């Protein structure tokens, strides 16, 4: 989550593959001006490093033990 006035973060989120999931219009005020609050999300499948990290943390086996798969 970031404010719409934080343009470097907005650009970076798009650059690394995050998807804008919500925009709360004029949800906050900074310096007396209203700004949108922007929420981003990234699914596991969309994260380029997911497979490597999942294997490193043994996530698939843990999920099976918990009955999540």
């Amino acid at each position: 989550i970031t404010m719409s006035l934080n343009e470097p973060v907005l650009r970076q989120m798009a650059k690394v593959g995050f998807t804008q999931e919500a925009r709360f219009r004029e949800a906050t005020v900074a310096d007396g001006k209203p700004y949108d609050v922007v929420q981003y999300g990234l699914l596991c499948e969309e994260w380029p490093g997911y497979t490597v990290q999942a294997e490193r943390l043994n996530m698939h086996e843990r999920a099976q033990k918990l009955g999540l798969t």
Side-chain angles (χ1 to χ4, degrees):
I1 296 179
T2 190
M3 292 173 24
S4 60
L5 66 87
N6 196 345
E7 293 180 15
V9 169
L10 298 177
R11 285 192 301 273
Q12 184 66 24
M13 296 298 265
K15 181 179 178 180
V16 299
F18 279 79
T19 299
Q20 181 180 317
E21 295 185 342
R23 178 177 287 264
F24 303 97
R25 297 174 56 197
E26 297 184 356
T28 192
V29 175
D31 296 325
K33 298 177 187 175
Y35 290 96
D36 296 354
V37 171
V38 186
Q39 181 176 335
Y40 287 88
L42 183 71
L43 298 175
C44 291
E45 300 82 31
E46 297 170 335
W47 177 34
Y50 171 74
T51 303
V52 173
Q53 188 70 0
E55 289 173 5
R56 187 175 146 258
L57 296 175
N58 202 19
M59 289 169 51
H60 296 295
E61 186 177 320
R62 288 179 181 181
Q64 286 178 338
K65 286 181 181 178
L66 294 171
L68 301 174
T69 58

